[in-house]
Amino acid sequence: MTQTHVPVIAIHGGAGTISAATTSAEQAQAYHDALNRIVAAAQSALLAGASAIDAACLAVELLEECPLFNAGHGAVFTHDETHELDAAVMDGATLAAGAIAGVCHVRRPVRAARAVMEDGAHVLLAGAGAEAFAREHGLEMVEPSFFSTEARREQLYRVRGTGRVVTDHEGASMTAAPATPLDEDRKFGTVGAVALDMHGHVAAATSTGGMTNKRVGRVGDSPLIGAGTYADDRTAAVSCTGSGEMFIRVAAAYDVCARMAYAGATLEAATHAVVQQSLPAIGGTGGLIAVDRHGNLSLAFNTEGMYRGHARGNEAPQTAIFA
């Protein structure tokens, strides 16, 4: 008889500096409501028999459509006031993976990443080639203005005025934006999901608009398999959010799985080593979510907070913002 596993879903919507003292209950509630709704949708899918890859992709699609988060609609701007979106998916059952980078017309970047995975010829497509691939596969295309919001445009102007290329957490000295639970000038804007399905398979999906005021052509860790996204049924599924260049340098997502596979580390020990030791050693900040093949969860971060939510089986979803 095939063993049935208790399904698990976890999502993140970015990590960074949070000031609980300046966050109103209404502001926090808006984020909790969005996280809860998205977790519940993926949870329902898993309970109905959906695969881990289906559930993870569904959660990320919903995060991409929510302007509260920096992915899809509501993505941040590059220095040239354009959008360049990245996404990746990985199926732990087969180690199949797909990713796209630097697209500006694909409405749901995670769908394009999954299409690359299912096509199987390549793992990562970028720029015009990735967009041509998306069109050929019938994915919905939009004008770049679809991703724009005035809040993100104002954010760009504040950051660009410094003359620096900054990650979201480096905006402390800039003119303050209207207060939000996670200061939009001081957070890492990536969304992601990891899932364990009832068949015991794990999967991960990640999507991002990148960094405000980033140089055109910059690619972070999110679409890089092993850096910001990784999944392997033998160990865990991982989706990261943080200072992308640092996550790339330590191969953060894969390192979690490698510590489990080769050193026998538990999920908690592996994620702690990466988030609290390897990353800080080179100035890396941010966090990750991970689920292992036994259903253990880790939502680890070394910043003041991280948007996050999860659900196990048919238990009520749980969400959090602050540490």
Side-chain angles (χ1 to χ4, degrees):
M1 180 180 293
T2 301
Q3 180 180 2
T4 299
H5 295 253
V6 176
V8 179
I9 180 70
I11 67 174
H12 70 76
T17 300
I18 299 173
S19 175
T22 61
T23 302
S24 72
E26 292 78 14
Q27 289 166 339
Q29 194 60 50
Y31 286 86
H32 282 294
D33 288 346
L35 292 166
N36 190 293
R37 173 178 58 83
I38 292 166
V39 168
Q43 176 187 31
S44 294
L46 284 170
L47 291 172
S51 67
I53 193 70
D54 284 342
C57 288
L58 171 62
V60 170
E61 281 186 27
L62 294 172
L63 287 160
E64 288 176 339
E65 292 287 297
C66 181
L68 292 176
F69 304 106
N70 172 23
H73 178 56
V76 299
F77 287 91
T78 69
H79 177 79
D80 291 356
E81 211 163 325
T82 59
H83 298 287
E84 292 186 346
L85 312 177
D86 308 328
V89 302
M90 188 163 183
D91 187 344
T94 61
L95 299 186
I100 54 98
V103 299
C104 60
H105 292 90
V106 182
R107 176 168 178 166
R108 298 176 181 85
V110 73
R111 286 194 182 181
R114 183 167 183 174
V116 172
M117 180 188 75
E118 292 176 343
D119 179 76
H122 305 293
V123 170
L124 173 62
L125 295 177
E131 298 210 327
F133 176 90
R135 287 190 179 90
E136 290 167 8
H137 284 73
L139 300 183
E140 184 177 358
M141 311 298 283
V142 294
E143 290 302 310
S145 60
F146 170 83
F147 305 110
S148 304
T149 65
E150 283 309 305
R152 294 300 191 194
R153 197 180 303 275
E154 291 167 7
Q155 182 181 347
L156 170 66
Y157 295 161
R158 288 194 304 274
V159 175
R160 196 163 61 181
T162 67
R164 298 158 53 208
V165 176
V166 300
T167 51
D168 290 330
H169 73 302
E170 294 177 320
S173 63
M174 302 169 197
T175 302
T180 60
L182 192 54
D183 186 331
E184 293 299 327
D185 291 345
R186 306 178 67 196
K187 80 178 185 68
F188 302 107
T190 302
V191 306
V194 295
L196 168 71
D197 63 31
M198 62 178 55
H199 307 293
H201 302 307
V202 299
T206 312
S207 182
T208 186
M211 300 188 307
T212 298
N213 201 37
K214 67 181 179 180
R215 186 183 184 94
V216 170
R218 179 262 184 184
V219 176
D221 65 305
S222 298
L224 301 186
I225 302 302
T229 307
Y230 199 76
D232 185 339
D233 275 4
R234 295 170 295 182
T235 50
V238 185
S239 176
C240 302
T241 174
S243 47
E245 280 70 13
M246 307 307 179
F247 279 68
I248 292 170
R249 288 165 58 185
V250 302
Y254 178 72
D255 194 27
V256 169
C257 295
R259 289 172 184 273
M260 297 174 69
Y262 306 133
T266 63
L267 180 71
E268 188 64 26
T271 57
H272 183 275
V274 172
V275 174
Q276 305 298 342
Q277 298 170 19
S278 298
L279 284 164
I282 59 171
T285 52
L288 58 80
I289 57 173
V291 63
D292 70 14
R293 62 193 180 94
H294 303 295
N296 297 308
L297 265 179
S298 178
L299 296 87
F301 52 98
N302 59 30
T303 52
E304 293 182 46
M306 179 171 73
Y307 295 129
R308 59 203 188 273
H310 69 277
R312 182 184 305 277
N314 59 7
E315 297 174 6
Q318 298 183 42
T319 64
I321 301 173
F322 306 105

